[in-house]
Amino acid sequence: MPDKIQLTIDNRPIEAEPGTTVLDAALAADLYIPHLCHHPDLDPVGVCRLCMVEVEGGRPAIACRTPVAQDMVIRTTGPQIDQIRRVSVELLIVNHRDDCLSCAQNNSCELQRIATYVGVDQQRLDRLRRTPAQRDVDTSNPFFDLDHSKCVLCGICVRTCGDLQGVSAIDFNYRGFDTKVGTFGDRAITESVCESCGECVVRCPVGALAPKDYVQPTREVKTVCTYCGVGCGMHMGVRGDRVVNVRGDRDNPANRGSLCVKGRFGYSFIHHPERLTGPLIRKDGELVEADWDEALDLIADRFAQHKGETFAAMTSAKCTNEENYLIQKLSRVVMGTNNVDHCARL
Ligand code: FES
């Protein structure tokens, strides 16, 4: 292992792995440097310019693209840096819809956080805000909306879709002031190759990509997705006794925070009034509710009638390894057949 790099950020000695950037080293040491286009899952592109720092000697540099070097001395604030940052933030804000209080991202918006950090001048903002930044909202996706008037063009969604998901449903459309994130041919998202995984939505640092009907959870429950055999880890957001959202568990080795459309958005069945919560038995051609004792007695009777080759067991990827093991054991030892199959093989 190469030796660690020693550097100083804001008079604080820091140790960093070789190859990391100044921004990563600062964040790892709990030192905040404003950043909008940086995401730890993506390669840095350095487009927002908000992570500007001063390298000793007064040279400004973008922290997200500057690798750490031995004995480097960094200052994250200073008259020149502060001025660059403030102007950059103000130019973003004047083109951004100002409905923060009703925005799904309120209080967890990076732009809001940076504006508070740099201390923008409200009077200057009012002067700069000449034309109302009203742009269309793409509401075609059943799970999330894309509000162009809140987009800061950081490109995190575009890079997530292309570099991480390999789908490339969205990119930058048009040029200059008209630039916006959109689909090929600027069609509705549902007319693109978007798979609705929502990976762009969870990474959006502002409220441009936001889940529909967002409800703030009051607590989270760590669990495992029930949809398939991958076993993705997730945190279910709960408010009262209802699940109101889902986010991936970044510590789970199966998915490292990623989820598919079903895992992320397909939880409405939990509270669906037609959800099956008990066994049904067919009587005179009709399915009628039964209790578990009655249902299990019926199953045992039928099993007794169908020992041997007339019996087959079909198991599921949703079961645990142990449950699948027990089913094959029951089939072979009790039912006397090797007719065992599994939905994941089909
Ligand atoms: Fe470095 Fe945007 S975070 S330029």
Side-chain angles (χ1 to χ4, degrees), residues 35-38 46-49 51 62 64:
H35 55 278
L36 205 49
C37 66
H38 166 82
V47 294
C48 76
R49 324 303 278 182
C51 66
I62 297 170
C64 70

Side-chain angles (χ1 to χ4, degrees), residues 114 121 233 281 344:
I114 295 168
D121 180 336
I281 291 179

